[in-house]
Amino acid sequence: MNGDLELYDVTIIGGGPAGLYTAFYSGMRDLKTKLIEAQDRLGGRMLIYPEKMIWDVGGVTPTRGEKLLEQLIQQAKTFDPTILLGQQIVGYERQEDGTFILTSSTGERHLTRTVILTIGYGVRKLAKLEIEGADRYEVSNLHYTVQELEVFRGKRVLISGGGDSAVDWANELEPIAASVAIVHRREAFGGHERNVARMKASSVKVRTPYTVQALHSDGGETIDRVSIVHAETGEMETVDVDAVIVNHGMKSEFGPIREWGLNIGEWNVTVGERMATNIPGIFAAGDFVTHGSKVGLIAGAFTDGVLALNSAKLYMDPEAPRMAYVSSHNERFKEKNRQLGVVEED
């Protein structure tokens, strides 16, 4: 029986930037909204780099990840959506009336008219350094994220990795660390071109194509030296260090959602230009999706969310406007403007 389940217009699965902004926009469209996040905190991938400077969100000056996330969460709560944490959605069932019942891994059930998947790359776990015994240094000076830059002030830092985060951390730490070296298994870095150029023009010691071969400790409690090996010649070098940062990406799993019948590849689900999946009533947005006009920025995730929500609205009501009125003309903001002390002209 479904009588004990409260019916929602939209259920958003995933509480990263795409899901948070979609929840806000859903409120703009006056829809009854639920957001469900598998982790115990909202933020998705942004939780990995709270100290990272975010430069590429329109109208927002350079802001640390933790601050931008705080603002995204506050914005998402504007219209009081229901937000549930610690529930991984694993199954769905379409009812005779077209609604969906979603089931979590802990047995909770959720009734909804439409679904928007903003699950990023699924359940994500940091890819650890594959060296025997490396885990014992995780309590001392082996790091997989940079939570506080000050921890590395005046230290000799070695970074292993070549993606956006590794390059960004090198640039952030270069002014405050005693030295920064970055080791990457390929010649080319995967970070944004401007940031890579900045790194190479700085005092950061770039070692490519090298990989970390071994960790050495004088006292057994901390890493004091790192052996790196040239990927082509096998030449070995030893680097003295006070701290090692590893950024080898994430291991991601979509889990049971792969069994839903969605058109999922290795990393993404394929959607149409209006973010519709191949299952009617289920839409998707953010890092989880791929489409012909995909923009791999946070700003692109916001746009995906708007398109997915508009499609969900039209799925429920084909006669509805194709998009929400802008905030300056949207009735839902009038009372909120009054609460802010804003006097509007008639």
Side-chain angles (χ1 to χ4, degrees):
M1 298 294 291
N2 301 328
D4 58 338
L5 297 179
E6 189 174 359
L7 177 63
Y8 284 79
D9 295 316
V10 177
T11 297
I12 301 161
I13 303 175
L20 291 169
Y21 191 77
T22 304
F24 165 71
Y25 186 75
S26 185
M28 287 182 64
R29 301 230 59 180
D30 200 20
L31 296 174
K32 187 173 182 179
T33 308
K34 179 182 284 186
L35 186 151
I36 304 174
E37 166 57 44
Q39 298 187 75
D40 293 328
R41 296 174 60 192
L42 294 169
R45 190 177 179 184
M46 289 191 69
L47 293 171
I48 300 170
Y49 45 84
E51 289 280 334
K52 180 178 175 181
M53 294 300 294
I54 309 297
W55 289 75
D56 51 13
V57 177
V60 178
T61 54
T63 304
R64 294 206 180 277
E66 60 185 353
K67 180 61 177 177
L68 181 59
L69 179 55
E70 177 186 319
Q71 294 172 174
L72 280 168
I73 293 172
Q74 182 179 352
Q75 183 184 50
K77 294 179 178 179
T78 300
F79 299 104
D80 299 316
T82 296
I83 297 177
L84 301 177
L85 303 177
Q87 289 196 38
Q88 181 184 3
I89 298 301
V90 295
Y92 87 94
E93 180 183 352
R94 189 189 294 275
Q95 306 300 289
E96 291 184 2
D97 61 0
T99 60
F100 298 92
I101 291 182
L102 304 174
T103 306
S104 78
S105 57
T106 51
E108 286 86 350
R109 299 160 74 239
H110 308 274
L111 183 62
T112 186
R113 299 175 69 189
T114 61
V115 178
I116 299 180
L117 298 169
T118 56
I119 60 175
Y121 297 106
V123 177
R124 298 169 62 80
K125 297 180 180 179
L126 289 166
K128 297 294 187 76
L129 192 61
E130 295 183 356
I131 293 177
E132 185 176 356
D135 57 340
R136 71 175 181 268
Y137 299 115
E138 292 179 20
V139 297
S140 56
N141 63 340
L142 175 59
H143 308 266
Y144 289 98
T145 63
V146 175
Q147 298 292 327
E148 297 181 26
L149 293 174
E150 283 298 316
V151 169
F152 303 94
R153 181 174 291 276
K155 295 185 177 180
R156 299 166 297 176
V157 181
L158 183 140
I159 300 172
S160 178
D164 281 323
S165 292
V167 171
D168 288 343
W169 288 339
N171 286 329
E172 294 283 342
L173 292 171
E174 188 266 344
I176 67 171
S179 65
V180 177
I182 187 166
V183 175
H184 184 39
R185 69 183 186 276
R186 290 191 287 268
E187 292 286 356
F189 286 86
H192 291 301
E193 294 94 334
R194 185 181 182 88
N195 294 336
V196 172
R198 175 187 166 195
M199 178 185 71
K200 289 183 175 180
S202 73
S203 66
V204 174
K205 300 177 181 68
V206 178
R207 308 299 289 143
T208 59
Y210 278 83
T211 59
V212 174
Q213 179 75 7
L215 308 176
H216 308 284
S217 175
D218 292 333
E221 296 181 357
T222 61
I223 304 167
D224 297 297
R225 294 176 307 284
V226 176
S227 292
I228 61 174
V229 60
H230 194 282
E232 297 171 357
T233 67
E235 179 185 359
M236 296 279 291
E237 292 185 23
T238 301
V239 182
D240 293 329
V241 301
D242 298 308
V244 176
I245 302 170
V246 176
N247 180 246
H248 291 175
M250 306 291 292
K251 292 182 178 180
S252 303
E253 296 179 359
F254 294 127
I257 284 181
R258 279 199 177 275
E259 310 303 318
W260 287 19
L262 294 163
N263 186 12
I264 300 181
E266 182 178 2
W267 298 106
N268 312 95
V269 64
T270 300
V271 295
E273 62 179 9
R274 298 195 62 80
M275 304 303 113
T277 72
N278 57 304
I279 300 178
I282 299 182
F283 307 88
D287 286 338
F288 182 49
V289 307
T290 183
H291 53 85
S293 301
K294 180 65 181 173
V295 176
L297 300 171
I298 293 177
F302 297 160
T303 300
D304 288 348
V306 168
L307 291 170
L309 198 285
N310 286 337
S311 294
K313 177 78 172 183
L314 290 169
Y315 175 82
M316 293 181 282
D317 180 8
E319 301 302 318
R322 293 180 63 83
M323 63 177 291
Y325 289 110
V326 296
S327 60
S328 58
H329 293 81
N330 193 307
E331 290 291 328
R332 299 223 73 192
F333 290 101
K334 283 194 173 182
E335 178 56 32
K336 295 187 178 297
N337 285 338
R338 282 193 289 270
Q339 293 171 3
L340 293 173
V342 176
V343 178
E344 297 180 326
E345 296 182 1
D346 293 332

